[in-house]
Amino acid sequence: MAPKYNRKKPVQHKSNSKKSSTKKKQLYIVVGILAIVLIIVGAYVAVGFNSNNDNSTATPTPTPTTTNGTKVLLQTSMGNITIQLFDDKPITTQNFLDLVASGKYDGTVFHRIMKDFMIQGGAINGDLATIKDEIGSYNHNYQYTIAMAKTNDPNSATSGFFINTVDNSKITYSDGTKFDDTYTAFGIVVEGKDVVNAIAKVPVTANISGEVSQPTQTVTLISATIIS
């Protein structure tokens, strides 16, 4: 049973019941309008919030602004890869083009493969001149960029190269050395990314130093050709 004061409350102002009823109707209308406005505003804010979240969390694919150089076709035993060289790394690109033009890369192999890191090739027997590092203000080892392999010494690159299979630009080693401050990225894959991915998935075993990166099947760089 409801409390007595609740039952008596409507009767206390009986003489003003009509006026009170009108005011209540007006109040209900105002409350209803406010509720609709709040719902619309809430929906708008929610959409805007989600939209802002999408923009802030999206990770755009990094695209170098210096991809205007010569294209080189790498014909491999697993398919073709086309590299476009950067035009702001003249020493590195010219060294690479000279080796391509002289046929030095033909018949070499991808001797080091690490799926979530890179695929490496270009090792040539014989004495080769070293070249200077070209780090510059724009040097990023993004996914599918090609960079020069080297020893731990500065300016020690010769012919070896690797293609980044993931974005390695954020790597910082325990000694504080940054990947991008060490390895010169001088081009990017513009065709044949699927071939790069396929090579990266080749089964590997431990090499003589214990690193699990030696392919169990031969992946040959049949020929390298300047195409434009």
Side-chain angles (χ1 to χ4, degrees), residues 36-151:
I36 294 171
V37 171
L38 287 174
I39 291 171
I40 294 172
V41 171
Y44 176 80
V45 170
V47 171
F49 179 76
N50 290 333
S51 177
N52 288 337
N53 275 354
D54 290 342
N55 291 336
S56 63
T57 58
T59 304
T61 303
T63 304
T65 58
T66 55
T67 316
N68 299 310
T70 303
K71 287 184 179 180
V72 174
L73 173 65
L74 305 180
Q75 183 182 359
T76 81
S77 55
M78 295 185 67
N80 295 342
I81 302 169
T82 301
I83 306 291
Q84 185 159 31
L85 306 183
F86 298 159
D87 58 4
D88 63 345
K89 307 292 175 68
I91 296 173
T92 309
T93 55
Q94 190 57 56
N95 177 70
F96 186 75
L97 290 172
D98 288 344
L99 292 169
V100 169
S102 62
K104 296 290 187 181
Y105 285 130
D106 297 355
T108 58
V109 299
F110 285 90
H111 62 277
R112 187 171 177 235
I113 294 174
M114 301 179 78
K115 179 183 176 182
D116 297 319
F117 183 30
M118 54 86 226
I119 58 174
Q120 183 174 337
I124 298 173
N125 295 326
D127 294 331
L128 295 172
T130 59
I131 60 174
K132 291 183 178 181
D133 298 331
E134 290 184 290
I135 303 304
S137 59
Y138 188 97
N139 188 72
H140 300 294
N141 282 268
Y142 292 141
Q143 186 180 31
Y144 300 120
T145 52
I146 181 172
M148 292 302 294
K150 55 185 285 189
T151 68

